Amino acid sequence: MAQFAIKDAGNIRMTSNATGKVLFYTRALNKFNFKVDSESVYAKAKGSNYIAFDGAITATITMEQEVITFPQLSLILASDMIEGNADISYNTIAKFDGARKITIPNVKFLSNSVSVYEVEEDNSTIGKEIKGTVAQSSNNLEFTATDEVVEGTSAIVCYSVSKPNVKKIVVKDEASASNYRIDADIMVKTAEGKFMVLYATFFNCKAQRSIEFGLDAENPVNFQTTLDVLPNEKGEYVEFKFVEDEQQHEVMAMFEEAGIKSRKSK
């Protein structure tokens, strides 16, 4: 095989080893890093290392991307995604009317979830709590102040509602996600300008529970996933397969669409 280079983060399919079902498939990776470490143990002679014994292998995969799906987020958080009822907290800025009342339409609030505070003109600086009574009037939340309140006073109303069919990911003290198989396909270019596909299979991967979830107001969030790569029952960690002239591969089609043609073998 000719000299080659790789400039691609690959596409991956993640499959549960427990169920055999595909968790997700993505073509949005920006980085894909596979690392293998092994510390040798040495028998010494005259105080110097003399005979080497291979140590245990540790292997990891780190993936980075800015565009993800819900199943990928559940993998990052090492938890399962479930769907069901969920309590959602809301904050609404409103003004008191002449009857010292605030009405928020189309809200069915949860009992004992409503609190009201004065808010300054910036709608951010919270003042004293305003006491009052709250009622569910048809589909509306109605709060009537028992404290003295001037008409037009701005307030922030904090309340919760229950919503059905909500996607939820709950991080618990024990990880609930299973081990996974990762199938990756990666574009390779030879020195002659021909394209190949590198297929990589990582047989047994487990998401680490070291989570960093940083939100940024100026840049898209860079979602990072780190997985431990463990051996399968045969002691295998990964298998790499190079396929030349893989014209049926969807990545080849993407390159064709971009006007880049793969040279066929002569």
Side-chain angles (χ1 to χ4, degrees):
M1 189 171 66
Q3 297 181 88
F4 65 90
I6 299 175
K7 185 178 176 290
D8 181 28
N11 309 309
I12 67 164
R13 184 181 73 224
M14 188 81 67
T15 305
S16 169
N17 283 343
T19 65
K21 294 183 178 180
V22 175
L23 180 68
F24 65 83
Y25 170 72
T26 181
R27 295 162 55 174
L29 291 182
N30 295 321
K31 290 185 179 180
F32 184 100
N33 184 63
F34 173 55
K35 182 179 180 180
V36 178
D37 281 324
S38 177
E39 292 187 4
S40 296
V41 178
Y42 296 91
K44 296 181 181 293
K46 298 290 187 180
S48 299
N49 294 337
Y50 192 70
I51 300 175
F53 297 89
D54 290 335
I57 289 176
T58 59
T60 56
I61 287 174
T62 303
M63 300 180 291
E64 294 184 15
Q65 59 193 116
E66 295 180 355
V67 179
I68 67 170
T69 62
F70 284 115
Q72 288 172 271
L73 183 57
S74 69
L75 175 69
I76 291 170
L77 298 174
S79 304
D80 289 330
M81 183 181 68
I82 58 177
E83 189 168 323
N85 293 335
D87 294 347
I88 308 295
S89 297
Y90 288 93
N91 307 292
T92 300
I93 304 295
K95 294 181 182 294
F96 282 96
D97 61 19
R100 296 185 298 185
K101 180 184 293 185
I102 286 177
T103 300
I104 302 177
N106 301 318
V107 168
K108 290 188 175 181
F109 63 92
L110 293 175
S111 177
N112 300 319
S113 71
V114 180
S115 58
V116 180
Y117 301 85
E118 286 186 0
V119 66
E120 296 187 9
E121 293 181 358
D122 60 5
N123 287 338
S124 295
T125 305
I126 294 178
K128 69 177 183 178
E129 183 176 5
I130 301 173
K131 300 297 183 182
T133 60
V134 63
Q136 185 75 63
S137 177
S138 185
N139 288 328
N140 302 331
L141 184 161
E142 289 188 354
F143 178 83
T144 304
T146 53
D147 292 341
E148 289 295 328
V149 176
V150 177
E151 181 180 358
T153 297
S154 293
I156 180 170
V157 183
C158 308
Y159 58 94
S160 297
V161 303
S162 179
K163 286 186 174 291
N165 305 320
V166 174
K167 292 181 174 63
K168 299 187 292 185
I169 302 171
V170 181
V171 179
K172 300 181 180 179
D173 57 352
E174 293 185 3
S176 56
S178 69
N179 287 25
Y180 301 97
R181 167 184 168 135
I182 297 177
D183 291 285
D185 46 72
I186 304 147
M187 288 302 304
V188 175
K189 187 176 182 181
T190 69
E192 291 78 18
K194 183 172 65 175
F195 289 100
M196 301 184 297
V197 179
L198 165 59
Y199 291 96
T201 300
F202 303 87
F203 300 102
N204 191 17
C205 304
K206 180 70 174 178
Q208 289 187 2
R209 299 213 78 196
S210 177
I211 302 166
E212 183 175 350
F213 196 73
L215 304 180
D216 191 327
E218 296 182 354
N219 301 295
V221 174
N222 181 38
F223 295 96
Q224 180 171 300
T225 310
T226 303
L227 303 102
D228 292 318
V229 182
L230 308 171
N232 62 10
E233 65 278 0
K234 298 179 181 179
E236 300 168 333
Y237 288 82
V238 60
E239 182 179 60
F240 295 107
K241 296 148 285 188
F242 289 86
V243 180
E244 300 185 48
D245 294 318
E246 184 71 303
Q247 297 298 326
Q248 301 304 315
H249 190 266
E250 67 168 15
V251 183
M252 285 293 185
M254 292 168 59
F255 273 76
E256 296 290 332
E257 291 172 4
I260 302 174
K261 303 297 181 180
S262 171
R263 298 180 186 174
K264 293 186 177 180
S265 299
K266 294 182 180 179

